[in-house]
Amino acid sequence: MTILFHSNIRNLMIGQGIVRGLASTVAVTIYSGAQPSAATIASTWSSFNSGNASFLAHFNGVGWTHPIDGTTTFASITTFPAPTPAVNTGTGAWCIVWTTNPLLAAMGTGTIPTTSFLVGPVTNLAGNGIVRFNPNTDFTIAVNATIADGTISASST
Amino acid sequence: MATIEMSPGFVNGYVTRMHSLSTFTGAPASSILSRASTSGLLTSTFNSNYSNTSNTYFYIMKGTVPVNFSTLVNFNARSADVLITYVTASLAPGDFSPTIANVNPSNITTNYVNATATGTATWFWWTQRATVGGSVNGTDALVQQVIGTVGIIGSGADLEIPSVSIVSGSAYRVNNLRLSWPTSWVF
């Protein structure tokens, strides 16, 4: 028999495991291309800093909460950042949700702002990205982009 | 399928929060699910409002092993089958002081505790109660539950012990029960 966890563990994972690991507002960076492993990002940050063409946009002040007094099995964005100009042109495919709120100026160095982060997909509203855009995930350099919504779900863990 | 992954730097804090060893669960919650969102698996109690008895009870059990949680509706559901009980203390690890809960996989280890009944150990029941007597809003439901089989070493049980013949009054401990926490998932 495999150890069985009651389904309430999902609420714990989102509330205590994820959301409490994030600052009240954090940064989210959008990238093009294939989603790499988190370990790859941490170990080869120079391939992902803002000097790379795949680095499309960087949002500050994103607030994630666990809705309805923690009774859901997902966290969602409830504090939205201001529209933010894209850094490069491309199609967003994945993102880093940082546990802190590093500014864009801190994203261009050879040192990763923090090794504590989450990685997940980016989609339009028809997809199941953890950060979504409307109507598509196309970014144009210097043109403002706006996050439509965001959800981190534990419903299939 | 969409994949979410935690960075290695996120994981240890995540595992620590999932256990909440020696940590109080927080203010009264509106529901069991609400409390479940903040109550780690080794949570302690805090003050007289919540009693200085533990919220976390880890039982070595006898009898039929449940295949799901449908019959484990409250903390008294199988009280007649309890052989040994390990508990946390008020803002302290209590019987779980040797546990290592800040790395992945975590290592659940307890101090020696005397068995309170004699019988053949068949499963463990790891529970997390809500408040005094397990109540949230007048219920005695459990906030978190984990169950697994108990067997002799080499049996392939989830928790292996040298002998499953438990004798009342004799001392036993849980040693090196390792839990590997998921750090990525699809949804």
Side-chain angles (χ1 to χ4, degrees):
Chain A
M1 176 176 155
T2 300
I3 292 177
L4 296 180
F5 289 79
H6 191 278
S7 60
N8 287 3
I9 199 78
R10 294 174 178 174
N11 298 71
L12 179 64
M13 183 176 176
I14 292 298
Q16 186 80 348
I18 302 291
V19 174
R20 288 201 174 188
L22 305 178
S24 57
T25 57
V26 301
V28 173
T29 306
I30 311 297
Y31 292 89
S32 61
Q35 180 177 323
S37 73
T40 297
I41 296 169
S43 63
T44 59
W45 171 243
S46 60
S47 298
F48 300 95
N49 67 18
S50 60
N52 292 273
S54 61
F55 186 109
L56 298 183
H58 183 77
F59 296 90
N60 283 107
V62 182
W64 296 81
T65 57
H66 195 180
I68 320 176
D69 200 17
T71 60
T72 65
T73 56
F74 61 87
S76 59
I77 295 176
T78 50
T79 300
F80 287 84
T84 301
V87 176
N88 287 298
T89 297
T91 300
W94 61 277
C95 68
I96 296 174
V97 176
W98 303 94
T99 54
T100 56
N101 196 31
L103 301 177
L104 178 60
M107 305 303 289
T109 73
T111 303
I112 192 169
T114 171
T115 57
S116 182
F117 55 86
L118 305 172
V119 183
V122 167
T123 65
N124 61 15
L125 293 180
N128 58 349
I130 63 172
V131 175
R132 303 196 301 178
F133 294 85
N134 188 30
N136 56 51
T137 62
D138 293 338
F139 292 79
T140 301
I141 189 168
V143 175
N144 275 346
T146 302
I147 292 176
D149 65 16
T151 302
I152 298 174
S153 173
S155 61
S156 66
T157 59
Chain B
M1 296 292 285
T3 299
I4 301 175
E5 185 183 12
M6 300 174 189
S7 71
F10 189 88
V11 171
N12 287 355
Y14 155 72
V15 173
T16 299
R17 292 188 297 274
M18 293 297 283
H19 290 86
S20 304
L21 184 63
S22 302
T23 302
F24 175 52
T25 59
S30 60
S31 67
I32 287 292
L33 281 179
S34 177
R35 177 57 59 84
S37 70
T38 60
S39 294
L41 294 178
L42 289 174
T43 299
S44 295
T45 52
F46 176 51
N47 59 25
S48 58
N49 289 332
Y50 305 96
S51 174
N52 282 325
T53 56
S54 171
N55 271 10
T56 299
Y57 291 74
F58 187 112
Y59 303 106
I60 301 297
M61 306 287 292
K62 65 180 181 179
T64 303
V65 182
V67 295
N68 55 46
F69 296 98
S70 62
T71 61
L72 303 175
V73 294
N74 61 54
F75 64 85
N76 284 318
R78 293 285 296 270
S79 58
D81 289 335
V82 173
L83 297 173
I84 314 169
T85 304
Y86 303 94
V87 297
T88 55
S90 176
L91 289 179
D95 296 331
F96 295 89
S97 58
T99 289
I100 301 171
N102 61 354
V103 296
N104 197 28
S106 56
N107 182 330
I108 309 303
T109 297
T110 70
N111 297 319
Y112 282 98
V113 170
N114 287 343
T116 55
T118 295
T120 301
T122 51
W123 62 292
F124 70 82
W125 188 18
W126 185 350
T127 69
Q128 218 280 310
R129 296 184 185 179
T131 60
V132 177
S135 295
V136 163
N137 293 341
T139 74
D140 58 359
L142 292 161
V143 174
Q144 301 287 357
Q145 299 187 64
V146 183
I147 58 177
T149 54
V150 173
I152 60 172
I153 293 172
S155 65
D158 301 317
L159 176 60
E160 297 181 340
I161 56 179
S163 172
V164 293
S165 298
I166 305 299
V167 177
S168 180
S170 295
Y172 301 89
R173 67 173 177 171
V174 174
N175 186 31
N176 200 24
L177 173 62
R178 292 160 66 85
L179 286 182
S180 185
W181 293 90
T183 58
S184 67
W185 66 98
V186 297
F187 67 100

